[in-house]
Amino acid sequence: MKIIYLDCIAGISGDMMLGALVDAGADSNYIETELLKLPVSPYSLTWNRVNKLGISSIKADVLVDPDSPPAHHTHYSDIVRMIRDANLPERVTTRSLAIFERIGIAEGKIHGLPLEKVHFHEVGAVDSIVDTVGVALALESLQIDSIWCSPVPLGYGTIHCAHGIYPVPAPATLEILKGIPLASVPIPKELTTPTGAGIVSALVDQFHISLPSMTITSIGYGAGTRDLKERPNVLRVVVGNPEQASETIHDPHAHSHSHDHNHGHSHSHSHDHDHSHSHSHSHSHSHSHDHDHQEDS
């Protein structure tokens, strides 16, 4: 079994998670190719190596074509249909739908709407759809079977969104994270977004306050948009195999043990990550991009 541990030292958002997974070895070409199956408005997906308080990390950005803005709100049912009809790998479809369901239920409760009538200002935009499905594709590229996570910091203060000035954490974010271990980090910014909260709530199997017992095979850092003065604004992901308790201490120099490093895809990029490539995918479909939230944790 292959596991991944999400070390949320500065929160979590969709773009931070996507960048971290690619930095850990997920095949960006596979992700981009599979994303072409989604009938969304034209966009470009870029990967750039940045530095956050001394930590080199990958910043994933979804840039919507300004000449083809989405024309209307995207409803939950539209997103479900889009993902189900895209002929994505089964586990990718299941994980993507689970994330959007958690977000949709929370948004519906906050706004007093049934799930099927929820329309997405913050998470219905092209960038959040690409981030969410991209994360599910990246997990599949790495062949991750189980997702573990640290307690989640949220930040505090206020944020401007489509409905006006809202508290941090946003009401939907807090609703999604009911029952999830939280970490008190007194930074006056939004550290965890609704998409990040949805990823944690829908996909995480176990929570650990520190790294669990595991043999590490790769590590990745995904950057948020902001530069925080208090700590690096990155999400760290740690990929590996869980260690089972036994009387024998693992000998790192012995060659008899076997670790499954088969990610299921050939990773042609070599971790120097110049990440200068940008792809614009031309689609004629349009969706609402009333997206003041920006997923810019």
Side-chain angles (χ1 to χ4, degrees), residues 153-159 167-169 185-191 230:
L154 304 180
Y156 73 95
T158 58
I159 187 173
V168 171
V185 176
I187 295 177
K189 301 289 184 182
E190 182 185 46
L191 301 181
E230 298 89 350

Side-chain angles (χ1 to χ4, degrees), residues 130-154:
V130 173
D131 280 344
T132 299
V133 179
V135 163
L137 287 164
L139 291 168
E140 193 68 11
S141 173
L142 291 169
Q143 290 295 291
I144 301 299
D145 300 303
S146 185
I147 301 164
W148 301 0
C149 190
S150 70
V152 181
L154 304 180

Side-chain angles (χ1 to χ4, degrees), residues 100-157:
F100 274 113
E101 182 179 40
R102 297 298 174 93
I103 299 170
I105 290 172
E107 292 280 0
K109 181 173 181 180
I110 296 302
H111 299 302
L113 294 171
L115 181 60
E116 64 272 12
K117 292 191 176 181
V118 170
H119 62 267
F120 293 85
H121 295 290
E122 278 75 23
V123 300
V126 172
D127 56 341
S128 292
I129 295 171
V130 173
D131 280 344
T132 299
V133 179
V135 163
L137 287 164
L139 291 168
E140 193 68 11
S141 173
L142 291 169
Q143 290 295 291
I144 301 299
D145 300 303
S146 185
I147 301 164
W148 301 0
C149 190
S150 70
V152 181
L154 304 180
Y156 73 95

Side-chain angles (χ1 to χ4, degrees), residues 67-218:
D67 296 325
S68 302
H72 58 79
H73 293 309
T74 301
H75 288 77
Y76 173 77
S77 57
D78 299 326
I79 296 173
V80 170
R81 189 179 308 109
M82 181 191 309
I83 294 171
R84 283 182 175 162
D85 292 347
N87 195 29
L88 297 163
E90 181 178 359
R91 194 159 56 170
V92 172
T93 299
T94 300
R95 285 171 167 166
S96 299
L97 291 175
I99 294 167
F100 274 113
E101 182 179 40
R102 297 298 174 93
I103 299 170
I105 290 172
E107 292 280 0
K109 181 173 181 180
I110 296 302
H111 299 302
L113 294 171
L115 181 60
E116 64 272 12
K117 292 191 176 181
V118 170
H119 62 267
F120 293 85
H121 295 290
E122 278 75 23
V123 300
V126 172
D127 56 341
S128 292
I129 295 171
V130 173
D131 280 344
T132 299
V133 179
V135 163
L137 287 164
L139 291 168
E140 193 68 11
S141 173
L142 291 169
Q143 290 295 291
I144 301 299
D145 300 303
S146 185
I147 301 164
W148 301 0
C149 190
S150 70
V152 181
L154 304 180
Y156 73 95
T158 58
I159 187 173
H160 292 268
C161 70
H163 299 285
I165 298 176
Y166 267 32
V168 171
T173 300
L174 203 57
E175 182 69 27
I176 294 165
L177 291 175
K178 285 195 303 187
I180 302 298
L182 303 179
S184 177
V185 176
I187 295 177
K189 301 289 184 182
E190 182 185 46
L191 301 181
T192 293
T193 64
T195 300
I199 290 168
V200 172
S201 178
L203 302 187
V204 170
D205 301 304
Q206 298 183 28
F207 290 89
H208 295 263
I209 198 167
S210 62
L211 275 170
S213 297
M214 64 188 297
T215 302
I216 297 171
T217 56
S218 67

Side-chain angles (χ1 to χ4, degrees), residues 255-266:
H255 297 287
S256 59
H257 63 283
S258 63
H259 294 272
D260 180 9
H261 295 286
N262 180 12
H263 293 196
H265 307 278
S266 60

